[in-house]
Each structure stands twice: as C-alpha cells, then as structure tokens.
C-alpha cells in the first residue's frame, strides 16, 4: 500500500506543479532527468491506455536553468501531440538520448 501511496503523492505533486502558471517563477537549476521523470509521471496513464512504448535511455545528470513548470508543460504537450499523431497514423514514436540531447523519432512501426 505504501508504494501506491507514494505513486499517488508523486502524481498529485506533479499535477499541482503542472496546473499552475509558472510564467512569473524565478529561473532555477533543475535536473533534466527530474523534469523528464515528472513529465512522464503525468502522462503515464495516457501512454499505457494508448499502448504507446516510450523509451528513455537514462536520466541525465544535467542541470537546466529554467522555469520547471514551463518545460514540463512543453514536454507534456509534445508527448501528447506525438501520441495523438501515433493514434492517427499507426506509426512508432521513440524518445532517444544521444550524447546530451534527447530526440523524438516518429516513423513506421518496425515490428
């Protein structure tokens, strides 16, 4: 039960962060891996429901000077748009890390 509670707390914290306007937030240093993890937590159910496979090689230990809320909102929007495109076109979508960059790939499903 404590694992479920921790997951629930993580989702609630993510929703609170995501739902507010971060436009006036100060810039802060945030781990890129933490941003990606928080974003994936928010869209995990949508990914599962639509049977989309989203692969992240690892969480980088790189800090980004940013407004975390804005980056999470942007990533979530990109992922949701990619899922919508997948549903319409039946193609594969992949998030891949090369060096210190992340790339979104979309193309025909290679099963």
């Amino acid at each position: 039960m404590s694992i479920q509670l921790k997951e629930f707390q993580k989702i609630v914290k993510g929703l609170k962060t995501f739902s507010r306007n971060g436009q006036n937030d100060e810039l802060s240093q945030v781990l890129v891996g933490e941003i990606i993890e928080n974003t994936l937590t928010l869209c995990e159910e949508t990914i599962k429901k639509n049977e989309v496979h989203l692969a992240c090689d690892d969480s980088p230990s790189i800090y980004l000077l940013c407004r975390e809320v804005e980056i999470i909102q942007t990533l979530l929007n990109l992922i949701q748009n990619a899922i919508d495109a997948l549903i319409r076109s039946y193609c594969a979508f992949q998030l891949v890390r090369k060096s210190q960059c992340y790339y979104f790939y979309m193309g025909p499903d290679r099963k």
Side-chain angles (χ1 to χ4, degrees):
M1 179 98 148
S2 64
I3 293 173
Q4 291 174 335
L5 183 60
K6 286 181 184 180
E7 283 297 312
F8 182 72
Q9 288 173 331
K10 197 162 99 174
I11 291 169
V12 169
K13 180 184 173 196
L15 286 171
K16 282 182 181 179
T17 300
F18 175 75
S19 64
R20 64 183 193 74
N21 183 351
Q23 203 170 19
N24 296 321
D25 289 358
E26 294 285 326
L27 294 175
S28 62
Q29 287 190 355
V30 185
L31 278 169
V32 171
E34 189 176 302
I35 292 171
I36 291 170
E37 184 179 316
N38 290 340
T39 303
L40 293 178
T41 297
L42 291 173
C43 62
E44 186 174 21
E45 286 305 312
T46 303
I47 290 169
K48 285 179 186 176
K49 182 180 88 178
N50 291 293
E51 298 177 6
V52 172
H53 176 71
L54 181 61
C56 294
D57 290 343
D58 59 5
S59 294
S61 302
I62 301 167
Y63 284 91
L64 184 63
L65 184 62
C66 64
R67 291 180 183 90
E68 182 180 9
V69 172
E70 291 180 347
I71 302 299
I72 289 174
Q73 290 170 340
T74 301
L75 281 175
L76 193 58
N77 194 22
L78 284 170
I79 291 169
Q80 186 59 54
N81 288 345
I83 289 171
D84 291 343
L86 278 172
I87 291 167
R88 287 192 307 270
S89 65
Y90 304 103
C91 66
F93 165 71
Q94 190 175 14
L95 175 64
V96 177
R97 179 180 180 213
K98 290 186 179 181
S99 298
Q100 295 183 351
C101 297
Y102 281 86
Y103 299 92
F104 291 97
Y105 290 105
M106 289 186 69
D109 195 354
R110 296 184 180 129
K111 287 184 180 180

